[in-house]
Structure formats: C-alpha cells, structure tokens
Amino acid sequence: MVWLLTASFNVFAHKASDSYMTVQVDGRQISGQWDIALRDLDYALGLDANDDGNITWAELRNSRDVVYAYALSRLQMTTAKQVCSLQAGDLRVDEHSDGHYAVLNFRAICPSASTPLSIDYRLLFDLDPQHRGLISVIHAAKTDTAIFSPDYQRSEFVRDADYSGWRTVARFGYAGLWHIWIGFDHILFLLSLLLPAALAWERGAWQPKPGFRPVFFDVLGVVTAFTLAHSFTLSLTVLQYICLPSRWVESAIAVSVVLAALNNIYPVLVKRRTWFAFAFGLIHGMGIASVLLDMGLSDTQRLLPLLGFNLGVEAGQLAIVGAVLPLIVGFSRYRYYPLVVMKTGSASIVAVALVWLAERSLDFQMNIF
C-alpha cells in the first residue's frame, strides 16, 4: 500500500502517457497523423521557453523542427526490408481528454506497395517505461491496430489481410489490462471498498467476520456492482451516447476515492457499500473510456476494441482483487488491523485523493516528490 500511495501522488489521472497515430496506406504512399501530448514533448525537449508552466502555440511553432526531428527519429517504417522516407507535414494542436496534444502530420514513400508494412516505434520509451503508442493502420477500407510498449516496439501490418476479430480483441484486451494496472485512482477506490470486507461493524467497533463465506459474498457483491456499473457507462461513453467534460469526470472520480476511504474511518454506509460501488462505478466507467475515445475510432470500428478493452479491464481488476483479498483476510485477524492498517491506510488514501481533486478541479499539478 505504501508503494501504491507513493506512486499515486505522481499520477494526474486515469490517463498515462499515450500517443495516438493514424496511418493511411495507398500503394507506396503513406500519410499519417501523430498526436503526442504537449506535456510529454515538454518533458523530453523542454518546450516551455519562458518556464511559466504553459506551452503556447508560439513556443511549439518555434520548436517545430526540433519536435519533428525528435519524433520521426523514433519512428521507422519499412517494406521489403527497405526504409520508407518520412517527411514532416503540417503541425497543429488538438485537445484530448487529458490535455492538449501536438498533431504531427507526416508523409512517407515506401519502396514497395505489395509487401507487409513494418513499423518500429520508440517514442519516449527511454524516458517513460509506462508510455504506450496506440496506432491504427488503414488500407483499402480495412483497419488494423497495434499498441507499442517498451517490450513490443515493432509490429507488422499485412496489406489486404482479413484480420480475425480475435486479434483486435486480444490487442485491446492487453490495453485494458495495462490501463487498469496503472489507473491508481481506480485501484485506490477498489482497495478502499475491500479494506473492511473481512470486518463487521458491531456495537461501535470493527470485529472480524466469522469464516471466509461472508467475506467472499461481501466482496462478490461489491466487485460485481462496480463491474456492472463501469462496464455500462464505459460502453455508453465509447459509443458516444454519453459525453461529459473530462475535467468533471476525473474530479468526480477523485471525490469517489475520498468518500470510499472516509467511509472506512467514519462508518456511515457499511451495509450499503454495494450500492456505493455501483453509483460511483458509473463515474469510473466514463473515465476508463478516455483511452478508446482518444484513439478516434470510427463508428464501425468501436465494438471489437470496446469488447477487448472491457475484458482486459475486468481481468486486471480480478487480478488485483485476487492479490489483495488474501492479505486483507489474513491481516484482519490481528487486533491492530482496524486501526493501523484500515484507518491509517484510508487516511493516506484520502490525502492522495484530495491532491487529485485539487489538481483536476483547478487544472494544475503539484510537484510533491
């Protein structure tokens, strides 16, 4: 929990460092759009010339050649084992759910139009091992996707291939799994709900529950309610039936973590944690959806990525529950658990979540460590 809380201080939101690339293939010619977060470029290149905490369009425009040189040197496309020639295009700025991104348009001419297109991606991996590159390759009205990571820096796209839907589900399942494991606000909310699972509030004090059966059904109810709720709003948000400002959603998620942890210190909704998990799970689903929204998938491309991503999120969540629950059950048998572990741990979670709430609602970031 100490590691989790320390790591959580440095996390602004559900979103980690991601870039988004769309590549259109037409014979030997390729056109691409690469969205890279301004905060990532500033971290790598120091774009904030006057060091005022804001990157203006003038500062980005003046660094255009440096930005393109940095990004394109970490991207390589090849066909028939020969390198495609990359050329910089227009530079723009766009807004994503977690802030402003530089939009790098580029073109490429490849030696061959009939062989598979290989893409090597190395952006930011030397500075941020958690960075991911999400790419869509479009050719002849067919779309293939890939997610680059430090362990997966090269992908091959076969032109005119009729890819299995399972390939898309598996790739986005990995993205969902990774997203939930680095979504510290989501993890702390779930952990706050699990901490009292092995205890019962009786006569004004916490007492260990007798046996594992009541603990199991308590956790089953909480996790099921949370899963149903966030899956519901995740789907509605990705399919664009719901559209709330990201700042509101992320702030509400921080509030949910505060309230869930406070409920362990001042037990008010002890017997209604399942409903609590469902209500705030609706908010968490909208936050989790931000990755798929920022990929800009078309209407006809969303269902399989949504299915895979959601399955990955649920698998990641079950892994967290499976790892944490035995520890909670084991330590809850000791007298010090309610005060030292649950209340002190919950107070620490409240402190972290209040920092998130301030950052997200007031749109700034504290440099605590």
Side-chain angles (χ1 to χ4, degrees), residues 192-193 196 201 206 256-273 276 342 346 350:
S192 298
L193 294 174
W201 182 251
W206 291 105
S256 75
V257 180
V258 171
L259 295 179
L262 280 177
N263 193 47
N264 297 337
I265 302 172
Y266 305 103
V268 177
L269 301 173
V270 177
K271 297 182 179 179
R272 293 181 173 81
R273 288 170 37 256
F276 187 91
M342 192 173 73
S346 296
V350 170

Side-chain angles (χ1 to χ4, degrees), residues 9 42 64 105 150 161 168 199 230 280 283 300 308 334 350:
F9 263 120
D42 182 47
R64 176 187 180 280
N105 292 292
T168 301
L199 301 175
H230 73 62
F280 281 105
I283 303 296
T300 58
Y334 295 95
V350 170

